[in-house]
Amino acid sequence: MPAAQLLLLACLAWATGARTAQLRKANDRGGRCQYTFTVASPSEASCPEEGQAMPAVRDLQRESSAQRADLDAARARLGALESLLHRLLSGQAAGPQDAHGRLQAELDTLRDEREQLDTRARTLEVAYSNLLQDHSVLEEEKRRLGQEKEDLARRLESSSQEVARLRRGQCPCAPEASRDVPPASGEVSPWNLDNLAFQELKSELTEVPASRILKESTSGHPRSGEGSHGCGALTWVGEPVTLRTADTITGKYGVWMRDPKPTPPATRETTWRIDAVGRDIRQVLEYGRASQFEQGYPSKVYVLPRPLESTGAVVYGGSLYFQGAESRTVVRYELSTETVRAERDIPRAGYHGQFPYSWGGYTDIDLAVDETGLWVIYSTEDARGAIVLSRLNPESLELERTWETNIRKRSVANAFVICGTLYTVSSYSSPDATVNFAYDTDTGSSRSLAIPFQNRYRYSSMVDYNPLERRLFAWDNFHMVAYDVRLSQAKQPRARPDAPPAPTAALAHSGEGPGHHLTTQAQ
């Protein structure tokens, strides 16, 4: 039977070679299921006998061995090809990756260079825009100065004609005749000396007759020195003149100042500047000359021993006065020795955003200087946010006297002091703002005003008065600007408690335009 089984297996294997096979099942004699495969022989019409089956089986085995050998050879060749392909792919993969990495690095470098070029281009565009703006401002200022020159020429001609008329004897009263008339007499001069038109007329004649009037004065006092203009009420603020523009974001707001009481080596030209944007503000830039300030070349840089806060710093008598960061402490820093000479807490003063001006900037404590000395502007809980004004001793920082006003500090944009009177600015952003309130420390009363004040760049973060130059200094949205001012009929500045007696009276008048001042003194 083994031969028959082999024959059956051969027939089955042959059937797998795409020959048609038939499967039958039936029970044998013993009752077991028997499967029968029938495969048509390719060469014989009938099945061979048992003796003839062995050659066919051997032929099938040889054919199967040959096919298996061919299959193994094909598998070997396929494995070799797969191995070669794998080596080729792995060998080629390293090269493109390195090339891709180099290309990516070069691409990143080009992108960085492009960003740098874009940044430079934007910087140049901003600088060019600033130059065009400054050029426009200068052209406008040139035009305005030309108009003022023509106006001054016309007024000078008119004044000369008026002087000639007065010299011909048409003046209703002579100085010699009025000189001896006591103030309490019942005679009334045809010339009302308190009349503003008369005062402006006298100021217009400054260049011609002022020296003669001073010489003929019965007081016998010499003419006041430079910077001594007397005092009066603010009546006019001129247009802003741009002196310097900050070139970084830290200069959006800050404070710049000159010493109205300079001490060597500083002069009246020496300028200090502090950029107030940031958390740790310690750097103070000093410019020895006005030209250096306008060109942006500091001659010295100070680093304060503690950071400052607000835009309320001032320089007075050779010292920088500022508010310490996150405190109600006012610090006196002597510039010549670069040391702190005094510190003083302002009693119950709000700080770090408790009672700032309307624009913010932690401007709770604002220092100011006028003809009478050093001041501090602030508020307290007791004052419920109203402005409190105190005069400080510049040496010890002790509070000499304090006034509580009825002006809400948060409702105004800034404040400054002229001749002992506190003035406030209505808005820090409106181009047509006003000086809207005044508080007179002599009378302890306030009054409303409507003096035009121009925020040319729409973000004034600092306004201070310089009594030596008789100008307002301001910082308006990256721009450091100055305003000429005009005062009305003068009053004698209030003397400090430790100051020597002042002259009996002082009278100063300002003309139609800035810079035309006449000062007289009388016993």
Side-chain angles (χ1 to χ4, degrees):
M1 288 306 295
Q5 292 175 354
L6 290 174
L7 181 59
L8 182 61
L9 290 173
C11 292
L12 181 60
W14 188 259
T16 60
R19 295 294 187 270
T20 303
Q22 296 179 355
L23 173 65
R24 295 192 302 271
K25 67 177 180 177
N27 294 328
D28 62 358
R29 294 177 180 179
R32 295 176 298 181
C33 180
Q34 184 177 15
Y35 290 88
T36 304
F37 291 89
T38 302
V39 181
S41 174
S43 59
E44 299 181 7
S46 62
C47 291
E49 297 293 331
E50 289 184 14
Q52 298 175 353
M54 291 306 295
V57 170
R58 285 193 293 271
D59 291 337
L60 289 173
Q61 288 178 344
R62 284 193 298 272
E63 185 177 354
S64 177
S65 298
Q67 290 178 354
R68 186 177 293 108
D70 293 338
L71 180 60
D72 292 340
R75 286 177 178 173
R77 289 196 297 272
L78 181 59
L81 288 174
E82 289 177 350
S83 177
L84 179 60
L85 180 62
H86 178 71
R87 289 197 301 271
L88 289 173
L89 291 175
S90 62
Q92 292 175 356
Q97 288 179 356
D98 294 339
H100 178 72
R102 290 193 298 272
L103 289 174
Q104 188 65 35
E106 292 178 0
L107 182 60
D108 292 340
T109 301
L110 290 174
R111 285 175 178 171
D112 292 340
E113 292 178 355
R114 179 182 176 182
E115 291 177 358
Q116 293 176 1
L117 290 174
D118 290 342
T119 302
R120 293 175 183 173
R122 287 192 295 270
T123 303
L124 290 175
E125 289 176 358
V126 172
Y128 181 69
S129 176
N130 291 336
L131 286 175
L132 289 179
Q133 192 174 21
D134 290 344
H135 177 72
S136 177
V137 171
L138 290 175
E139 288 293 333
E140 178 66 22
E141 187 66 16
K142 180 180 177 181
R143 183 189 63 78
R144 186 182 67 83
L145 290 175
Q147 291 179 349
E148 288 185 359
K149 180 180 177 181
E150 294 175 358
D151 183 60
L152 288 174
R154 289 192 298 270
R155 286 164 48 203
L156 179 61
E157 178 64 25
S158 175
S159 299
S160 300
Q161 295 176 0
E162 185 66 21
V163 168
R165 188 181 66 81
L166 293 174
R167 286 178 176 174
R168 287 195 298 269
Q170 300 178 15
C171 181
C173 62
E176 294 293 332
S178 63
R179 163 167 51 182
D180 298 325
V181 178
S185 67
E187 297 184 17
V188 178
S189 171
W191 287 96
N192 184 359
L193 299 182
D194 293 331
N195 184 279
L196 291 180
F198 174 72
Q199 307 299 341
E200 291 180 359
L201 173 62
K202 290 179 66 177
S203 66
E204 288 178 356
L205 304 181
T206 299
E207 296 183 6
V208 179
S211 59
R212 182 175 178 181
I213 293 174
L214 291 174
K215 289 179 181 179
E216 294 177 355
S217 173
T218 59
S219 64
H221 293 293
R223 183 172 179 173
S224 300
E226 185 177 14
S228 177
H229 299 294
C231 268
L234 179 67
T235 60
W236 174 83
V237 177
E239 294 184 358
V241 177
T242 303
L243 302 180
R244 174 71 185 145
T245 302
D247 48 12
T248 64
I249 189 62
T250 58
K252 179 175 178 59
Y253 54 84
V255 55
W256 71 279
M257 51 228 154
R258 290 174 182 159
D259 193 344
K261 190 179 176 182
T263 59
T267 67
R268 63 180 299 166
E269 272 193 285
T270 306
T271 307
W272 292 267
R273 164 185 167 181
I274 303 173
D275 294 343
V277 175
R279 296 179 59 87
D280 191 41
I281 304 168
R282 297 173 181 264
Q283 193 176 78
V284 181
L285 305 180
E286 180 181 280
Y287 304 86
R289 295 190 300 273
S291 59
Q292 291 178 334
F293 172 65
E294 294 169 2
Q295 296 168 7
Y297 301 127
S299 55
K300 187 174 183 178
V301 178
Y302 299 89
V303 179
L304 300 177
R306 60 180 295 181
L308 61 79
E309 191 169 84
S310 172
T311 57
V314 296
V315 173
Y316 181 67
S319 292
L320 171 70
Y321 298 84
F322 65 91
Q323 174 197 355
E326 300 187 29
S327 73
R328 57 172 58 93
T329 304
V330 172
V331 181
R332 176 194 168 206
Y333 178 79
E334 192 174 60
L335 295 168
S336 60
T337 61
E338 301 184 31
T339 56
V340 173
R341 290 299 186 185
E343 295 186 23
R344 181 78 59 178
D345 282 355
I346 306 300
R348 299 179 297 280
Y351 64 93
H352 201 63
Q354 189 175 3
F355 299 113
Y357 292 125
S358 61
W359 77 271
Y362 301 132
T363 50
D364 303 75
I365 296 177
D366 186 14
L367 293 152
V369 176
D370 76 340
E371 291 81 357
T372 66
L374 180 65
W375 301 80
V376 59
I377 306 167
Y378 59 102
S379 187
T380 65
E381 288 285 358
D382 296 338
R384 296 180 175 84
I387 291 180
V388 178
L389 179 65
S390 295
R391 189 165 54 201
L392 296 178
N393 184 296
E395 296 293 329
S396 64
L397 298 180
E398 292 182 358
L399 274 65
E400 296 178 343
R401 189 173 175 184
T402 296
W403 294 262
E404 183 177 321
T405 75
N406 58 354
I407 304 170
R408 314 304 297 178
K409 193 166 186 292
R410 287 180 178 269
S411 68
V412 297
N414 243 299
F416 52 91
V417 181
I418 298 179
C419 297
T421 298
L422 174 76
Y423 296 91
T424 63
V425 180
S426 64
S427 171
Y428 65 92
S429 58
S430 172
D432 300 318
T434 61
V435 177
N436 58 343
F437 290 109
Y439 180 87
D440 191 339
T441 58
D442 286 342
T443 62
S445 61
S446 62
R447 65 185 186 277
S448 298
L449 300 174
I451 301 172
F453 183 92
Q454 183 182 140
N455 294 306
R456 174 169 289 171
Y457 303 105
R458 311 293 181 86
Y459 202 95
S460 291
S461 56
M462 159 253 171
V463 181
D464 278 338
Y465 174 65
N466 185 293
L468 180 61
E469 297 190 28
R470 184 152 285 186
R471 291 199 296 176
L472 295 177
F473 294 167
W475 194 300
D476 187 359
N477 201 13
F478 293 96
H479 299 81
M480 284 140 269
V481 299
Y483 302 77
D484 287 319
V485 299
R486 183 190 305 157
L487 305 183
S488 68
Q489 181 179 347
K491 65 178 180 179
Q492 176 66 20
R494 178 186 296 230
R496 301 181 59 86
D498 55 350
T504 305
L507 186 64
H509 311 287
S510 60
E512 292 279 331
H516 293 268
H517 302 287
L518 173 66
T519 302
T520 62
Q521 293 179 332
Q523 292 180 334

